[in-house]
Amino acid sequence: MAITKDTALRLIIVTDLVNEAEAMVSRLRNSGIAVRPTRPESLDELAQALAQQQPVDMVLGDYGSTQMPFEQVAKMVMGCGKDVPLLAVLDGVTDDILEDVQALGAQAVALRERPQQFLKNILTEWNDLDARRSQRRLEAQMRETQRRCDMLIDSSREPIAYIHEGMHIRANQAYLEMFGFESFEDIEGMSLLDLVAPGDVGNFRTLLKDLARGEAPPPRYELTAVDSEGGEFPAVMEFSAAEYQGEACQQIIFRHQAIEADPELERELAQLRERDQATGLLNRQTFLKHLEDAVIDAGKNQAQYGFLLFEPDSWQRTLQGVGLDSVDELLAAIAEFLRTTLGNPDEASGIRLGRFSDHGFAVLAPGDHAQNKALAERILAAFPTRVFAVGDGSSTFSVSIGGVQISEKTANVNQVLSRASHGMQSSASTGGNRIEVFDPGAIDRAEAERIQAWVNRLRDALENDHFLFHYQPVIPLLGAPGGIYETSLRLEGDNGESVTDMSFLQIAEEHGLLGDIDRWAIEKAIEVVASRNSGPKPVRLIVRITQASLTDEGLPEFVGSLLAQHGVTGSSLLLQIPESTVFTNLADTQTLTSAIGKHGCQIVLERFGAGLDSFQLLSHFTPGFIKLDPSFMEDLAKNATNQQKVQEITHKARDLGIMSIADGVQDASSMTALFSSGVDYVQGEFLAQSGPDMNYDFES
């Protein structure tokens, strides 16, 4: 499972002081890392934490701890039998200290006073751990896949064999029957040349030598084969690179070739298998084979290729204009236009053109980054000039292009596809009609251009009201009156689709726009409440605010004036703040809570309970609601530890007069546990999805 923004780092922190552990957790959370920390107070508790069925991702051990010496911590971590990275937390490092921690088995050191080094080493070790876990999963899947493949090969009617250095190392029953052998023992270790007629041996030996040097095999190879009795028959062979029991080899398929077979027809059928039926372009599978060949060539021979992915902008609007029944006709017209634009690409030119997805296209061409960028610009400039007349309608549109330069540094198919896809999505999400081509030699410049495009777009959205809300109901379990919705911020897209705030919040923070965005969200929420509360179904809205609002001294007055202007009571507005943000901005949170409380507004403290001592915060200020960290909902019905924690939190909150919300509810079986725990509200995509409308029936 790849690490995402929602993946929680399950962290054990070994340190003498609670506030030091909280500072580490806050540093990680403020950098965007979700953390599920544990702080054992003894070696026995550490042993229990390491022995839990739930995997531990990392241990941070204070090298200077007196209560739990690092040497003992290291021995326990190394002896637990699990793949758990250990990092030594230090104030400073010397050669002797570094040698000591490495000898004890620590993977790295994390320096308290060097925030960037601290975060970088933690992320590096976490990603390395995730890669190792992924590799183990893939190896297990590969073993299972190989087992199934063996079964399929054995049951296949196609004569299949595996050849290593010209010798048979595996053959199925159909292959044995074709050549008249009773068992694989009769053919094991036999040279493939022994099954070729004398007149074809010379050419076939040359082919085997070419394959051994890594050259690509022909799509089909015709020859005269010889069976075990010396009888000859015309045959066709197909080759593909394979691996058998760890050995690189060639998989071959032998077929009888009837004398009356039509070679031209066979070639036509082969071509049909490689082409997309609607457009006549290379289909995805065939295009990927060419891409793999280019990546291999770049890795082995330092060759350079450009790879481009692109999609028409505003595709849904285009379909409405031409009609769904004319989609194939439109795609065929686009394909023909691309052929003309690219000069009718063919094998001689080295340019490959394919249909890569439903309405996405791909180009692979030899050349350096400048040539790749020029090709992308040619495509980008050509589309707006062309009117596609399809059916009873016509349309013109721009395209969003993402690309990558394939070179020795990027000689990995997954990496190439990921970067090109990301570039295309980024081009589309920043307005379309753009190119974003990854240049290994100019990463910083490309990143700066991308960020500036986002900044310009965010400023335009603030000036021209291009943000919008999606709403998710927060459902009462105990029949509380009225409806509550949590708002989530979106940015309008030119293609009719909205962009989530995770795409731009980091950039907004770096360029000082978070405060303005928070104010837009608060003003919009009050307007929505005012219009909604004039009808029969009034609502309360939860609006997430950022650290910028905690230090905004004018925010309470801003909220009060808007409430008065629209005639809305403050109880309709709930401002939501993450626990980790509050912990590092406690004084500002106290001031804001008190100030907006005078207007009747309340605070929602989200991701509550994942800290080392979350209830410590509640001794300093009182929110109206706490929202439990979503990690508590993971397999809640079967996880007794999470059930106990949820019950403990909700009971303590109720004693303090604070309402509780269970966020991220995953399944129906969890609801029983939540009912019995005393949770007041529940929320999650399983219960009701977030959307642009507030249409949940709270009375049902």
Side-chain angles (χ1 to χ4, degrees), residues 51 379 490 494:
I379 295 171
R490 299 287 196 276
D494 293 338

Side-chain angles (χ1 to χ4, degrees), residues 8 10 35-38 52-55 608-611 615 628-651 661-667 669-670 672-679:
R10 299 183 182 276
V35 185
R36 187 78 181 271
T38 301
Q52 286 182 355
Q53 187 174 3
Q54 195 77 19
F608 185 84
F615 275 95
L628 278 69
D629 190 89
S631 62
F632 291 123
M633 297 301 110
E634 294 177 10
D635 204 16
L636 180 64
K638 299 178 181 179
N639 192 321
T641 302
N642 281 0
Q643 290 179 26
Q644 182 180 356
K645 188 69 174 178
V646 169
Q647 191 171 47
E648 177 188 347
I649 291 173
T650 54
H651 287 180
I661 303 171
D663 188 17
V665 178
Q666 297 178 350
D667 50 54
S669 58
S670 297
T672 302
L674 292 172
F675 269 113
S676 62
S677 70
V679 167

Side-chain angles (χ1 to χ4, degrees), residues 91-129:
D91 294 317
V93 64
T94 65
D95 291 344
D96 290 340
I97 291 176
L98 184 60
E99 184 178 349
D100 185 42
V101 297
Q102 289 178 339
L104 291 171
Q107 275 75 17
V109 298
L111 301 178
R112 284 191 186 88
E113 305 304 321
R114 298 288 184 91
Q116 294 302 319
Q117 189 272 351
F118 183 90
L119 292 171
K120 181 180 179 181
N121 279 8
I122 287 177
L123 282 172
T124 297
E125 294 303 324
W126 192 20
N127 282 306
D128 287 350
L129 173 66

Side-chain angles (χ1 to χ4, degrees), residues 17 44 69 193 386 436 470 475 496 545 579 633:
L17 301 176
D44 288 341
L193 288 171
R386 172 66 181 268
E436 189 166 311
H470 275 199
I475 305 165
I545 60 173
E579 176 191 305
M633 297 301 110

